[in-house]
Amino acid sequence: MTSRIDYSVWDHIEVSDDEDDTHPNIDTPSLFKWRHEARVERMDQFIKAGEDLEKGLAESKRKLTEAQKKTKNLSSSVTDDAKAELSKAQAEEKRLKKEERDWEKKLEDHRREEKKMPWNVDTLCKEGFSKSVMNVKPDVKEETEEQKEQKHKTFVEKYEKEIKHFGMMKRWDDSQKYLSDHPHLVCEETANYLVIMCIDLEVEEKKALMEQVAHQTIVMQFILELAKSLKVDPRGCFRQFFDKIKTADQQYQDAFNDELESFKERVRGRAKIRIERAMKEYEEEERQKRLGPGGLDPAEVYESLPEEMQKCFDEKDIAMLQTVISKLDPTEAKVHMKRCIDSGLWVPNSRADEGDDKEEDATYEELNKEMGEQKIE
């Protein structure tokens, strides 16, 4: 009779980020990379702390060895000075022994803490068992970006309705049964689509729906990461995830909730960036529509005009504009009027339209002369 696999060895697997490639259709960093950098940094800091403790202990041992040699040498001398030095050396030796014990205790505590640390995809370096009855994923040739994109597109076209249905589910049992009935959904393409779905919902300000889909996204993430850490097909281990999460201790549940909250914050951030980008594109489109015959933006030209000229355009008063222009330096007036024409703020009369080939360096006096026959937009 085949013995049951002891899944308790997975109790300390930290399910967070991963090194999987980002699908080109996703406008956010890969779901499995989002928390990797922070975790790796924590690991590096922990490793460095251990190295510092080992160095400190080694240095303490070196000093103690020197102090013991000094004490031994002084103990054979009978002079008063030597006795005084011996007393100091013995005190220093005692101090260094205590210091060595302190370093040893700190290092022991550090190693004990290391054993308590949860496993993750960076620290899992060996298999928990050499043989498995589960369907192990065979090594496959890495796909190109074009192949991944086409695979994602084909999958979504075929299963989009089912993915959305799973994304809206709330109960563990319902999710497990649905995946049991639709095991093809247990894959990276589903997780990628749910990420995009979350961002779309946040952009549409459907926040409650976004949070629900985000929950299901993290469910799929946990399953995929568990499968990768065990080097098995995710369709063969999703039931183990649900068995564990439904009977999880507080630490495991907290890990799931922390991952979920972190993901939702990231979704909000990506949605905000998308909205800002869309607003910039809209503003640029509107700006392009406003551009005058000379390619200038009337709003920008208006803001650059002297306040007296702005008032003329606000009130559409040609006589006032003539008066203001006459008071300006001719060169400055020419520049302002040329920019007004190029932006469409000032529309030349029909005679000016017929003279499209009029030289750009027309004198200010000519512009001022024809002003009575022109109109303000």
Side-chain angles (χ1 to χ4, degrees):
M1 179 177 178
T2 304
S3 61
R4 290 174 59 104
I5 297 173
D6 181 11
Y7 293 108
S8 65
V9 297
W10 301 336
D11 288 346
H12 297 291
I13 294 179
E14 178 184 358
V15 185
S16 56
D17 48 55
D18 201 80
E19 297 292 348
D20 288 350
D21 292 327
T22 303
H23 194 279
N25 283 349
I26 298 179
D27 64 344
T28 180
S30 173
L31 175 64
F32 306 107
K33 290 184 180 178
W34 284 358
R35 301 192 73 194
H36 184 265
E37 184 177 348
R39 175 161 60 76
V40 170
E41 184 178 349
R42 290 197 304 270
M43 288 171 57
D44 289 343
Q45 291 174 350
F46 187 83
I47 292 172
K48 186 178 184 302
E51 292 174 349
D52 291 342
L53 288 173
E54 290 177 350
K55 289 178 181 178
L57 178 58
E59 180 64 15
S60 177
K61 287 181 178 294
R62 184 188 66 79
K63 290 180 179 180
L64 177 58
T65 300
E66 291 179 354
Q68 289 173 335
K69 288 180 180 178
K70 185 176 181 181
T71 301
K72 184 177 180 180
N73 292 335
L74 290 173
S75 62
S76 60
S77 180
V78 293
T79 63
D80 292 338
D81 291 340
K83 289 180 179 180
E85 285 295 321
L86 176 60
S87 179
K88 291 181 181 180
Q90 289 173 335
E92 178 66 8
E93 181 182 348
K94 183 178 180 181
R95 185 188 71 79
L96 289 172
K97 284 183 178 180
K98 182 179 182 302
E99 182 179 284
E100 181 186 37
R101 289 194 296 271
D102 290 341
W103 280 111
E104 288 175 341
K105 184 178 184 304
K106 290 179 182 178
L107 185 58
E108 183 181 350
D109 291 342
H110 183 272
R111 288 171 177 168
R112 188 181 299 112
E113 186 67 24
E114 183 179 14
K115 291 181 180 179
K116 293 180 181 179
M117 290 178 67
W119 297 350
N120 54 61
V121 294
D122 293 308
T123 56
L124 282 171
C125 58
K126 60 181 180 180
E127 297 180 8
F129 39 82
S130 59
K131 185 176 181 180
S132 173
V133 296
M134 304 175 76
N135 48 332
V136 179
K137 293 177 65 177
D139 292 334
V140 294
K141 185 178 180 180
E142 186 175 353
E143 297 175 321
T144 65
E145 290 302 315
E146 292 76 12
Q147 289 173 329
K148 290 180 181 179
E149 184 175 358
Q150 185 57 45
K151 181 180 178 182
H152 178 85
K153 181 180 179 181
T154 302
F155 185 86
V156 170
E157 288 176 351
K158 189 174 183 180
Y159 300 116
E160 183 175 19
K161 185 177 179 181
E162 294 176 9
I163 299 173
K164 287 183 176 180
H165 185 82
F166 172 76
M168 297 297 178
M169 306 190 86
K170 297 182 179 180
R171 298 177 64 250
W172 297 118
D173 290 337
D174 293 340
S175 295
Q176 181 177 353
K177 185 178 185 306
Y178 194 76
L179 292 182
S180 296
D181 295 337
H182 305 81
H184 51 275
L185 295 182
V186 187
C187 62
E188 187 177 335
E189 284 72 32
T190 295
N192 289 341
Y193 183 86
L194 291 175
V195 172
I196 300 173
M197 188 175 174
C198 286
I199 298 174
D200 289 342
L201 290 171
E202 181 66 19
V203 169
E204 297 167 8
E205 298 187 349
K206 298 178 180 178
K207 300 185 181 300
L209 278 178
M210 183 280 286
E211 293 190 357
Q212 178 54 45
V213 177
H215 180 276
Q216 297 299 90
T217 306
I218 299 304
V219 167
M220 189 60 63
Q221 176 193 355
F222 267 51
I223 294 171
L224 292 173
E225 184 147 352
L226 180 61
K228 180 165 185 176
S229 66
L230 299 171
K231 298 181 180 180
V232 299
D233 190 307
R235 292 171 295 182
C237 71
F238 72 87
R239 292 177 180 82
Q240 282 70 42
F241 162 74
F242 285 108
D243 288 344
K244 181 165 182 58
I245 196 67
K246 287 187 288 187
T247 59
D249 55 27
Q250 192 60 43
Q251 183 180 3
Y252 191 82
Q253 189 66 50
D254 289 344
F256 182 92
N257 292 334
D258 289 346
E259 191 78 17
L260 175 58
E261 291 305 314
S262 176
F263 174 69
K264 288 191 289 189
E265 283 302 310
R266 196 62 181 256
V267 166
R268 295 184 185 106
R270 296 303 302 175
K272 182 179 179 182
I273 291 174
R274 184 190 287 184
I275 292 171
E276 291 173 351
R277 185 188 302 125
M279 289 299 297
K280 288 180 180 178
E281 291 175 355
Y282 173 78
E283 290 171 359
E284 180 59 25
E285 289 176 1
E286 291 299 305
R287 179 180 176 277
Q288 291 296 326
K289 292 178 183 178
R290 291 195 305 265
L291 295 183
L296 297 184
D297 183 352
E300 294 177 1
V301 172
Y302 174 85
E303 292 298 327
S304 69
L305 295 175
E307 186 176 346
E308 295 82 0
M309 287 189 70
Q310 290 181 356
K311 186 176 180 182
C312 298
F313 283 97
D314 290 340
E315 299 183 8
K316 298 185 177 181
D317 191 325
I318 295 178
M320 183 190 298
L321 181 59
Q322 287 176 316
T323 302
V324 172
I325 287 291
S326 66
K327 294 179 181 180
L328 293 175
D329 176 78
T331 302
E332 181 184 359
K334 175 185 173 182
V335 171
H336 284 312
M337 290 307 301
K338 178 67 168 62
R339 284 171 54 78
C340 287
I341 292 173
D342 288 344
S343 66
L345 275 177
W346 181 267
V347 180
N349 62 11
S350 59
R351 286 191 297 132
D353 290 340
E354 292 171 0
D356 287 340
D357 58 347
K358 183 174 66 176
E359 297 181 1
E360 289 188 0
D361 61 347
T363 62
Y364 155 70
E365 289 78 6
E366 290 173 335
L367 288 170
N368 198 28
K369 182 179 179 181
E370 294 182 358
M371 194 174 294
E373 300 179 21
Q374 298 172 342
K375 62 180 180 178
I376 298 176
E377 279 294 298

